[in-house]
Structures are given as structure tokens and as C-alpha cells.
Amino acid sequence: MHRLAGLFAALAILCGSTPSPVSAQDKSLTVFAAASMKNALDDIDLAFTAKTGIKIVASYAASSALAKQIEQGAPADIFMSADTDWMDYAIAKKVINEPSRVNLLGNSIVLIAPKDSGIDKVTIGGGFDLAKLAGNGKIATGDVSAVPVGKYAKAALEKFGAWQAAEPKFAMAESVRAALTLVARGEAVLGIVYATDAKVEPGVKIVGTFPADSHPPIVYPVAAMTAAKTEAASYLAFLRSSAAKAIFEKYGFSFLVSPTT
């Protein structure tokens, strides 16, 4: 009996010294990213995990909502914003590791309509009358007071003198992807979204492109949190790689930095 008890004790010690599957689980990073980045970033995250074994848990929403969540203590490692204003906001709240910030991507905004719409080939410039074009229908974009795509859209329409008449027709969505869905479902006759969003939604078509000089430059900055895991540096480096550049460009983003590898 004593010998059996000793054997069990030895086995218990041996088993206790072996890492369990739980303690040996994969490392992970939490990424908060602008909604417009979802398709491209999902592909990039898969490539990063395949290369490093580090799992990415991504949360997509409007940059404004994500910045507020980060401010309130949400456990993110990386923040990717669709404009510089919300990154600046997060930096001011002392939650961003400022030296890690990189202005990574560019984009453009476009006017979209449902795929079967009779509206087609709109010239956007001086004299552009968006209100007349929409008729009795709604125009979808992100909330112009906070969501980056909405802010860009309002700036462009103000430049062309088209905002005041069109404003009552706007359906303000919580994110660019929500605005995209409204148009794809035919709940809005027109929408203003990023070119990259229109590219991944078969239910819409691009009917016009806003000139780049009609609004502030569309820049997507990325940075690590002040309390980010050490693996965040590897992820930021991968975002600047040639492999990431190829994926981003496939989805229509412009790459604003020189690829590292």
C-alpha cells in the first residue's frame, strides 16, 4: 500500500510539472480597428497568425466609438483609426504609446447607390446638387459629428455648397459599414462611404468619386497602447511589411509608408 501511495505521489508530481494545454495556450493581441478595415485586416491577421502563432482578436467599429472605449479602459493592444483626429484624441488621453504611431494607409470617399439604381456616373464638383439627386430618398453616411467618413463627407459637401440642402436627407449611421448596409438594402438611395467599402459590397455601385482636395486627407494611423503586450511590436512591424502592403492594396487602400520587408 505504501509503495502504491508513493507511486501515485510521484505521478502527481510528474503530472504537475508538465504544462497543461491551458497554460501553454497561444499568445494573443486585441486590435481595435476602424470598421472600414475589416475585410483587409481579417486577411492580414490570418497571415500574421500563420507566421507568428500569435492570435489576433479584432474589434471593429467607428473610430470615434473605439477611441472612447479605449479612454474608458477597454483592454486593447493596438488602435487603428480612420482619421488622425481620433488618434490624436487617444494620445491626449495618455492611453497611446505615441512613438509607436504610424500613418499607415490612405483612402478615398465615393458616392454609392444600390446596384440596380438608375443613378449612374455623377460628376462631383462645383454645382453638385446632392439633395436634388436624392429626390425623396435618404442619403446614408457615418454620423458627421463623430464618425470619420461622415466628417470627410460633410467637409466635401460644404466645399461644393451642397451640404445645407442635403443635410435633412441624411441618415446618420453609427459606422461606415452601417451606412453601406443601408444602401445595399435599398433603405437609402445614395450613400457616401470609402472606396474600399464599396469594393467589398456587391449590393452597391460607385456612381461618383469625391476629389481628393475636397476634404481633409484620409489617413489611417495605427499605434500600440501604453499597456500593450510585448507582441504588439511584432504586429506593428508586420503591418508595415510587403505582405501587408499587398493585401491592403488589393482591397483598395493606399500604403503611405515604405514597406519594411
Side-chain angles (χ1 to χ4, degrees):
M1 290 289 289
H2 290 300
R3 294 174 75 180
L4 280 172
L7 180 61
F8 286 137
L11 284 170
I13 291 170
L14 185 60
C15 291
S17 66
T18 304
S20 67
V22 173
S23 64
Q25 66 185 356
D26 293 340
K27 294 177 180 178
S28 67
L29 290 170
T30 299
V31 176
F32 277 20
S36 53
M37 303 186 72
K38 181 177 182 356
N39 300 73
L41 204 61
D42 281 351
D43 285 0
I44 283 168
D45 291 348
L46 285 173
F48 176 75
T49 299
K51 181 179 180 181
T52 65
I54 301 169
K55 189 189 304 183
I56 302 299
V57 179
S59 179
Y60 298 104
S63 304
S64 50
L66 296 173
K68 294 293 182 68
Q69 290 172 26
I70 290 168
E71 178 189 3
Q72 293 162 11
D77 295 294
I78 301 288
F79 177 40
M80 306 181 75
S81 174
D83 74 356
T84 56
D85 289 349
W86 285 111
M87 182 63 77
D88 291 343
Y89 176 92
I91 286 173
K93 299 299 179 181
K94 309 296 185 186
V95 293
I96 297 292
N97 175 7
E98 190 170 359
S100 72
R101 174 180 178 168
V102 175
N103 289 337
L104 186 68
L105 303 172
N107 210 335
S108 57
I109 54 171
V110 295
L111 185 68
I112 59 170
K115 190 175 182 180
D116 60 357
S117 171
I119 299 172
D120 202 14
K121 294 183 181 177
V122 177
T123 300
I124 301 175
F128 175 49
D129 192 343
L130 182 59
K132 182 179 179 181
L133 188 65
N136 295 323
K138 288 290 185 181
I139 308 161
T141 195
D143 183 346
V144 299
S145 67
V147 179
V149 72
K151 292 162 62 182
Y152 294 129
K154 182 181 178 182
L157 293 173
E158 284 180 332
K159 176 160 186 174
F160 297 131
W163 171 249
Q164 190 171 354
E167 182 180 7
K169 298 178 185 289
F170 268 89
M172 305 294 183
E174 63 182 14
S175 72
V176 68
R177 287 300 173 92
L180 184 69
T181 298
L182 288 174
V183 181
R185 290 178 178 171
E187 294 172 31
V189 297
L190 293 167
I192 300 174
V193 300
Y194 298 113
T196 52
D197 294 298
K199 187 171 182 175
V200 298
E201 174 50 71
V204 306
K205 62 180 179 179
I206 295 174
V207 298
T209 299
F210 286 84
D213 63 358
S214 66
H215 52 76
I218 298 174
V219 175
Y220 287 65
V222 56
M225 303 297 103
T226 52
K229 297 171 189 169
T230 55
E231 291 81 12
S234 297
Y235 185 74
L236 289 177
F238 188 76
L239 290 176
R240 298 184 62 171
S241 69
S242 296
K245 177 179 185 287
I247 294 171
F248 279 127
E249 289 181 343
K250 180 182 80 169
Y251 282 96
F253 290 95
S254 55
F255 207 65
L256 302 182
V257 296
S258 297
T260 51
T261 54

